[in-house]
Structures are given as C-alpha cells and as structure tokens.
C-alpha cells in the first residue's frame, strides 16, 4: 500500500482535511447545493456524520449510510488483497463497505465537500485504508496496471456532463449548455482510462440504469433528466425534446444490456458478465444473471402499500405488470438496472 | 453463477447470496453493519448446535469470517423442496409440519434443561424436505437456553395460520382444526407448559415479544414475525378454539 500511496501523493501533493489534490477542481456534482454542503461540512467539526445528515438532510440517510448499496460486491470474488478505485465515490456508499473487504480503496470525486464528509465517515468507522482524491474522474492520471478493482457505481451516465451540477438546480430544470463531444465518445474515453489502470487480473464493477427499464415505458421520468420517455426515444429525438424543454441536449446516456456490453468490449474489457438488478442498483434486493431462466420465480418488489400505508390502483397495476412481464413473459431486457462485471 | 437473493429485509442488513460455482454450491450471508454481525454469529452457532444434535448433517459451514466491521458465512446447500410460507396451510405444508414436529422432538429432546435452544424463525420457508427428511435452515435468530419446549413449532403453526388468514381474510376452521390436532399430538409426546395449554397463541406471541425486547436490535418485529399482527379479539378466538 505504501508504494501505491506514495505514488498518489506525488501525483496529488496537496491536502485539505485528509483529501489529496493537485489543483483546484472546477467541477461540482452533488444532490445538495454548494452553500448547504459547506454548512454541513462545517458542522462536522462538532457532530458525527450521521447526526449532521439527520439534522440537515434526513431524506438522504438511506442513500448515504445504507449498506444495501454494497449488495453487488460479492459478484467480484474478492480475496481481501485488492487495491481498488471507486470512481465518483461521493459520500462513500460503496467506498466504506469495499474498504472493509479489501486492502486499499482510493475514492475519487470532483466534489471536495463530499470527500471531506467521506473522510469523517472513514474515521468514524476506523477505516484507515481509504485514500481520498479530489479530481475530475475523466482527468484522473494513468496508474497503469496497478488497480485490481474499479468501481463505477451510478457514475457512467454522468460522465458526459461537465461543470457545476447542483442536482436541485439541474434535475428537470432549464439551463443552457454546450458539449464538445458526443456522450458515447466521452464515456468510451473514460472507460478506456479505467481499463488501462487495471492489473492483468483486474475487474470492473459497473452499475447503471437500463435504458429500456419497464418503468420508462409506463411514463416514469428519466432518473437523470426528469423528462418522460427520453431514455427510450431515439437519441436524436431525445436531444430535441431535451433542448426544447431543458435548453441542453440529452447527454446522460444509459444503455440496454447488449449495448452496454458492446461499449465495454469496445473500451478494451473482456469476459463481460451482465446481471439484472431489482428494483434498482442503488438499493438492490435481487441481482440475477442476465438469463431468462432466472426469472421463473420472480416476484415483484414493489410494496403493496405506499409510505402512507395505502394501496393505490396504480400501484396494483404496476405490481401485476411487473410480475407479468418478468415472471410470465420472462422479458429480461426490461429489467430496471444493470450490473456489469468485466475483466481487464 | 452468483445471485443476490435477499438484501436487508426487515432492516437487519444481511445479504443472502446463492453461489453455484464449478466445484462448489453454497449460500453466503454477509453484513457490513456492526449491529447485524450478531446474526452471522447466531447462524454459525445455530448450525454448530444443530450438527451436534443431528448426525445426518455435517460440515454445513464451509467458511466464515467475523471481524469487528464485517461478517461472512458460507453454508452448504441442501437438496430438497421448500413449501413457501405465503401459501399458508395446504395439504403439502401440513405434511411438512407433521414431519417438522417429529424432527423437532427428535433433535430438541436431547437437551436436558427447562429452557431450550430456539431456532427463532421457524417458518415453512426455513424447512427443507427431501424424501420425508427434514432440515431446518436459516439460523440467524438462534439462541441457546431461550424458550420452553415446542416454542418453535408453535411459532411455525401460527405463522402458517397467519398466511392462511391473510389469504382468505377470515379465520379458517379447517386450519385451526389442524393446529388443534397437532398441539394435541405435541402434548402426547411431551407435556406442554401450562401457559401453552391455556392460551397457545397468546403465549407464543408473548415469548416472541419477550425475546425481542431483550435483544438490542432495530429489526421491525411486526414485519419479521407476522403473528404479532393478530388483534386481541382474533387471539382470543383462536386460543378459545384450540382449547375447546
């Protein structure tokens, strides 16, 4: 770990509250606004991370602290000696559990505040094998063949975005923006870098929404743009809709199972294994190999009752539809999320 | 081939996986949550106790790791069938319960104590039947010296009844007759505690509540143990019927 750590320190010689950086990063991505984030970090001097989240962002408690997020880690066949990078680690939903199973985890994120928060969390959990780096993941330097596990959990779709994103001001909101490359070019370049960093036995863990998630067809909004049907529309049409309604093209590209596999192979990965993830990759309850035979005992995970203890007609229809599509028709390509495990 | 079968149900932060690899097949349970490590520990202790008293199974725990912040246990797969709890009382599930009563009696009677070890979650989902051979699985809630004899079986009878009750939306006399007959056969094998004779369902519920009041856990017990959702009038009606 020491040699690896030293190499990172030479690449990122500056520190700010336990976070390494080279130069100030311009980008920002967070569910919360910058001012709110600053207030939260300042409060960490007096309170635990959990207390602070309960105080300012109780609705994000599960997102940040739940161990459910790590449900897919067993797909990686971990030995405990791995050096890992969690690209776009944010508050450490995957970083913390991964650090409990492996030798070293490098958490990379462009949002300094998220990393400062994660640093507090790591200290609270007594995890001293986490190295935090403030850098745009697209600019992360080459660590050729030194990484055993690369984690890209809910991040690939955001890679084409740039600049400052405060989700509350971005999600479904109008803001004019220009992009120099197509989303797939940016994503492919990023994946090639990730691939180059992997050791010969290295593995990639990639989790992302399925472009053809059943929910997209019944009018649930795209989880990245908050526009209906954009993910399933042809890209050009989605672009037109997004430009008209949001002032910017549709760039948060997600893929079908087959297209994702192709993208990974085109980026240099091999032995790509695909998994269906229910109800989503953020809080996976079931992860099944991408094969219809595993859907024969499928049972919907949509709860009978909503948060207020009521059963609605819409909810009943959704439950019946899910069971029909997956258990009866075994239409695996409509699964909500994808996890891909690939080799170097 | 690896599958995630269950993740943090009833808020206990345990993941359950099925591994079907070229040279081995097993279930894996993991947790990254300190407060859930006890379930991994119970699972290991439960299987160890079960193996000691049940010579037909051995080497069930293939691998385990228990650290201060992470726990893992690999459990050998057992061949056989499971009759799902949610179906409630069916001819097959009744047959399974009769076999489970015999099995429980054979295994548990070897203890010489007034408080007996408890499986703690004996539902139809946790009973594997293979050619009339029974194996209890899922020992996350195992405790030693915890409850009177037959408690697990009472729990099994009433949880299955709860599912029948939910499915039909009424108290099903047929199922109650089956419970009554089973309780009688249990009493004939080994005398029941007087509290069970007076109020079997109420006693079972009280013991479950008592066990969970004593343990420090965030588990949602009303979801985990559905019999706690019977209303007082339903409890009285059921107990009166069985006592008759």
């Amino acid at each position: 770990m020491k040699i690896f750590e030293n190499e990172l320190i030479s690449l990122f010689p500056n520190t700010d509250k336990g976070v390494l950086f080279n130069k100030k990063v311009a980008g920002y991505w967070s569910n919360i606004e910058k001012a709110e984030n600053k207030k939260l970090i300042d409060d960490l001097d007096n309170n635990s991370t959990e207390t602070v989240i309960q105080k300012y962002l109780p609705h994000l408690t599960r997102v940040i602290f739940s161990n459910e997020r790590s449900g897919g880690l067993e797909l990686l066949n971990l030995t405990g000696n791995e050096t890992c990078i969690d690209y776009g680690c944010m508050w450490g939903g995957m970083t913390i559990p991964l650090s409990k199973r492996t030798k070293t985890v490098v958490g990379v994120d462009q949002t300094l505040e998220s990393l400062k928060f994660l640093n507090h969390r790591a200290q609270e959990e007594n995890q001293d094998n986490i190295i935090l780096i403030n850098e745009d993941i697209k600019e992360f330097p080459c660590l050729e063949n030194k990484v055993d596990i690369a984690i890209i959990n809910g991040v690939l779709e955001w890679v084409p975005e740039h600049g400052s994103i405060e989700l509350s001001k971005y999600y479904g909101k109008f803001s004019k923006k220009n992009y120099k490359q197509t989303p797939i070019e940016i994503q492919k370049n990023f994946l090639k870098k990730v691939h180059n960093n992997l050791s010969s036995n290295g593995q990639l863990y990639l989790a992302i929404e399925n472009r053809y998630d059943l929910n997209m067809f019944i009018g649930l909004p795209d989880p990245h743009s908050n526009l209906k049907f954009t993910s399933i529309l042809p890209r050009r049409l989605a672009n037109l809709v997004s430009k008209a309604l949001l002032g910017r093209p549709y760039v948060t590209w997600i893929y079908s199972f087959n297209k994702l596999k192709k993208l990974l192979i085109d980026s240099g990965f091999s032995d790509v294994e695909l998994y269906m993830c229910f109800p989503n990759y953020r809080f996976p309850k079931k992860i099944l190999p991408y094969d219809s035979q595993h859907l024969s005992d499928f049972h919907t995970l949509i709860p009978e009752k909503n948060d207020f203890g009521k059963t609605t007609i819409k909810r009943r229809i959704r439950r019946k539809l899910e069971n029909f599509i997956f258990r009866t028709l075994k239409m695996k390509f409509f699964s909500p999320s994808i996890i891909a495990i690939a080799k170097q | 081939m690896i599958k995630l079968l269950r993740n943090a149900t009833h808020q206990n932060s345990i993941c359950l996986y099925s591994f079907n690899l070229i040279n081995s097949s097993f279930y894996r349970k993991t947790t990254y949550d300190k407060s859930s490590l006890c379930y991994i520990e119970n699972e290991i202790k439960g299987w160890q106790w079960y193996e000691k008293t049940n010579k037909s199974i051995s080497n069930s725990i293939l691998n385990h790791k228990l650290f201060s912040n992470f726990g893992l246990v690999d459990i050998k797969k057992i061949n056989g069938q499971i009759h799902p709890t949610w179906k409630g009382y069916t001819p097959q599930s009744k047959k399974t319960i009769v076999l489970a009563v015999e099995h429980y009696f054979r295994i548990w009677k070897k203890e010489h104590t007034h408080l007996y070890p408890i499986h703690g979650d004996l539902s139809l989902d946790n009973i594997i039947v293979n050619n009339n051979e029974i194996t209890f699985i899922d020992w996350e809630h195992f405790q030693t010296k915890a409850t009177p004899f037959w408690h697990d079986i009472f729990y099994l009878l009433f949880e299955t009844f709860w599912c029948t009750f939910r499915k039909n939306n009424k108290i099903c006399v047929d199922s109650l007759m089956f419970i009554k007959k089973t309780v009688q056969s249990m009493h004939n094998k080994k005398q029941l505690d007087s509290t069970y004779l007076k109020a079997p369902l109420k006693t079972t519920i009280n013991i479950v509540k008592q066990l969970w009041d004593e343990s420090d856990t965030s588990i949602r017990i009303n979801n985990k143990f559905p019999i706690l959702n019977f209303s007082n009038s339903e409890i009285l009606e059921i107990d009166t019927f069985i006592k008759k």
Side-chain angles (χ1 to χ4, degrees):
Chain A
M1 174 174 167
K2 207 71 204 161
I3 302 168
F4 185 65
E5 197 179 339
N6 288 341
E7 190 174 342
L8 289 173
I9 290 171
S10 68
L11 289 165
F12 301 95
N14 307 309
T15 57
D16 183 357
K17 290 193 175 171
V19 179
L20 304 180
F21 68 99
N22 183 11
K23 55 182 192 304
K24 206 172 176 302
V25 181
Y28 178 94
W29 195 106
S30 184
N31 303 50
I32 55 176
E33 291 175 21
K34 286 176 184 171
E36 201 176 12
N37 219 341
K38 192 182 175 307
K39 201 163 71 179
L40 188 146
I41 299 302
D42 289 344
D43 210 3
L44 284 175
D45 293 336
N46 307 313
N47 291 303
S48 71
T49 50
E50 214 154 344
T51 312
V52 167
I53 293 300
Q54 285 291 345
K55 192 169 154 189
Y56 297 105
L57 307 160
H59 61 287
L60 290 177
T61 306
R62 189 178 175 210
V63 173
I64 297 170
F65 295 105
S66 171
N67 285 301
E68 290 167 80
R69 294 177 79 85
S70 57
L73 285 183
E74 288 311 310
L75 305 175
L76 283 167
N77 203 7
L78 299 168
T79 63
N81 288 319
E82 295 87 354
T83 298
C84 319
I85 296 189
D86 185 0
Y87 291 94
C89 61
M90 276 200 78
W91 292 307
M94 292 292 266
T95 322
I96 295 283
L98 193 63
S99 72
K100 295 177 181 177
R101 293 295 302 279
T102 58
K103 198 167 76 180
T104 311
V105 184
V106 180
V108 188
D109 206 283
Q110 63 178 334
T111 310
L112 183 62
E113 289 81 356
S114 302
L115 294 171
K116 284 182 179 172
F117 180 89
L118 176 49
N119 190 41
H120 274 269
R121 260 192 90 186
Q123 283 171 8
E124 286 167 4
E125 297 249 8
N126 295 322
Q127 293 306 121
D128 57 5
N129 58 342
I130 298 175
I131 303 168
L132 299 174
I133 293 175
N134 184 213
E135 179 61 287
D136 182 340
I137 54 170
K138 285 171 280 192
E139 305 299 327
F140 192 74
C142 185
L143 296 168
E144 214 159 315
N145 302 326
K146 291 200 178 65
V147 178
D148 302 307
I149 304 286
I151 304 284
I152 304 175
N153 191 48
V155 168
L156 186 69
E157 63 274 32
W158 290 104
V159 166
E161 264 299 355
H162 61 83
S164 181
I165 294 179
E166 295 166 286
L167 213 53
S168 54
K169 294 178 184 168
Y170 173 93
Y171 186 62
K173 303 279 164 62
F174 193 91
S175 65
K176 282 201 166 180
K177 229 170 168 183
N178 292 316
Y179 301 82
K180 286 176 187 158
Q181 284 174 291
T182 62
I184 197 165
E185 278 169 350
I186 304 170
Q187 287 168 328
K188 210 185 275 183
N189 286 340
F190 166 66
L191 286 171
K192 279 179 183 169
K193 281 189 171 183
V194 172
H195 176 261
N196 280 342
N197 286 343
L198 282 181
S199 63
S200 55
N201 294 321
Q203 297 180 85
L204 166 74
Y205 174 102
L206 189 149
I208 191 167
E209 288 88 357
N210 175 14
R211 180 180 178 185
Y212 298 119
D213 169 4
L214 178 65
N215 290 308
M216 307 286 184
F217 291 87
I218 58 170
L220 257 66
D222 183 304
H224 310 105
S225 65
N226 198 25
L227 297 175
K228 288 180 181 178
F229 307 112
T230 42
S231 93
I232 55 174
L233 286 175
R235 304 294 195 193
R236 278 186 187 179
L237 203 51
N239 255 347
L240 287 174
V241 173
S242 183
K243 274 181 184 167
L245 297 172
L246 302 178
R248 56 182 187 261
Y250 178 73
V251 294
T252 47
W253 282 20
I254 49 178
Y255 297 90
S256 65
F257 282 87
N258 291 339
K259 281 280 157 61
L260 183 68
K261 188 172 183 174
K262 188 177 178 308
L263 178 64
L264 289 174
I265 290 168
D266 290 348
S267 307
F269 292 95
S270 60
D271 295 342
V272 182
E273 286 173 17
L274 297 173
Y275 293 85
M276 306 174 270
C277 203
F278 300 91
N280 55 57
Y281 70 83
R282 284 181 294 277
F283 304 108
K285 291 282 179 205
K286 269 200 197 310
I287 301 175
L288 306 170
Y290 185 56
D291 189 325
S292 301
Q293 63 166 346
H294 301 295
L295 290 170
S296 43
D297 54 359
F298 177 88
H299 190 75
T300 180
L301 291 163
I302 300 168
E304 253 181 280
K305 292 173 181 172
N306 63 16
D307 294 344
F308 307 103
K310 287 193 174 164
T311 311
T312 59
I313 292 172
K314 202 174 162 188
R315 190 169 277 265
R316 273 193 203 160
I317 293 170
R318 276 184 65 201
R319 279 170 59 86
K320 286 216 183 306
L321 183 68
E322 266 211 354
N323 281 336
F324 180 66
I325 294 291
F326 295 119
R327 189 170 60 211
T328 312
L329 301 179
K330 297 189 173 51
M331 296 174 120
K332 55 183 182 174
F333 37 83
F334 288 136
S335 320
S337 288
I338 309 171
I339 293 179
I341 304 293
K343 291 198 174 137
Q344 201 259 6
Chain B
M1 190 182 64
I2 304 167
K3 291 184 197 176
L4 168 70
L5 303 175
R6 194 178 83 194
N7 187 0
T9 45
H10 317 296
Q11 295 193 337
N12 75 354
S13 286
I14 299 280
C15 282
L16 171 68
Y17 301 88
S18 159
F19 279 69
N20 276 324
L21 308 177
I22 297 166
N23 40 20
S24 62
S25 271
F26 55 90
Y27 289 108
R28 171 170 290 177
K29 290 186 178 185
T30 64
T31 186
Y32 293 92
D33 181 16
K34 281 177 194 164
S35 64
S36 292
L37 283 171
C38 59
Y39 299 112
I40 300 284
E41 213 173 333
N42 293 343
E43 183 86 37
I44 297 164
K45 282 185 189 161
W47 279 105
Q48 283 168 346
W49 175 83
Y50 193 42
E51 279 183 3
K52 230 190 281 172
T53 48
N54 184 4
K55 297 293 173 212
S56 60
I57 55 160
S58 59
N59 303 322
S60 312
I61 303 289
L62 303 175
N63 175 30
H64 72 269
K65 288 175 189 169
L66 266 176
F67 301 115
S68 61
N69 55 15
F70 169 70
L72 171 154
V73 58
D74 289 342
I75 307 144
K76 192 163 74 179
K77 282 194 176 174
I78 293 157
N79 291 333
Q81 248 197 321
I82 287 177
H83 301 295
T85 302
W86 66 266
K87 285 190 178 174
Y89 281 108
T90 63
Q92 290 96 325
S93 69
K94 284 180 184 170
K95 205 178 148 198
T96 302
I97 289 172
V98 170
L99 290 170
V101 170
E102 293 294 330
H103 183 73
Y104 181 94
F105 183 66
R106 195 162 53 80
I107 304 296
W108 262 257
K109 75 168 183 188
K110 289 172 189 165
E111 295 280 327
H112 301 286
T113 170
H114 69 288
L115 283 177
Y116 292 81
I118 180 183
H119 176 281
D121 187 19
L122 194 62
S123 60
L124 283 168
D125 287 333
N126 291 334
I127 300 174
I128 295 183
V129 193
N130 189 12
N131 292 329
N132 289 344
E133 277 293 315
I134 291 282
T135 311
F136 294 163
I137 58 164
D138 199 359
W139 290 83
E140 276 172 34
H141 301 290
F142 174 76
Q143 288 183 46
T144 49
K145 291 183 182 153
T147 57
F149 202 82
W150 292 125
H151 170 77
D152 280 319
I153 296 293
F154 272 108
Y155 186 79
L156 170 67
L157 289 169
F158 290 124
E159 190 183 280
T160 313
F161 183 75
W162 167 260
C163 296
T164 314
F165 175 62
R166 276 290 306 273
K167 231 169 66 176
N168 302 314
N169 242 337
K170 61 174 188 195
I171 289 185
C172 181
V173 177
D174 213 40
S175 304
L176 276 185
M177 279 306 291
F178 174 79
I179 295 176
K180 191 176 171 161
K181 257 175 66 184
T182 312
V183 171
Q184 190 55 54
S185 82
M186 284 152 63
H187 188 52
N188 294 343
K189 281 185 201 299
K190 186 173 167 69
Q191 272 199 343
L192 290 171
D193 248 41
S194 57
T195 47
Y196 278 119
L197 285 173
K198 277 184 213 151
L201 176 55
K202 196 176 175 197
T203 306
T204 310
I205 288 173
N206 285 344
I207 289 176
V208 171
K209 279 184 181 165
Q210 196 187 323
L211 283 170
W212 286 95
D213 279 348
E214 285 166 8
S215 64
D216 174 24
T217 174
S218 59
I219 204 163
R220 277 194 242 165
I221 64 166
N222 278 45
N223 286 3
K224 175 70 196 155
F225 304 107
I227 66 163
L228 301 183
N229 297 306
F230 279 118
S231 70
N232 285 338
S233 61
E234 285 157 2
I235 294 170
L236 190 67
E237 194 181 343
I238 292 164
D239 277 346
T240 312
F241 187 97
I242 298 170
K243 245 179 10 183
K244 260 197 300 197

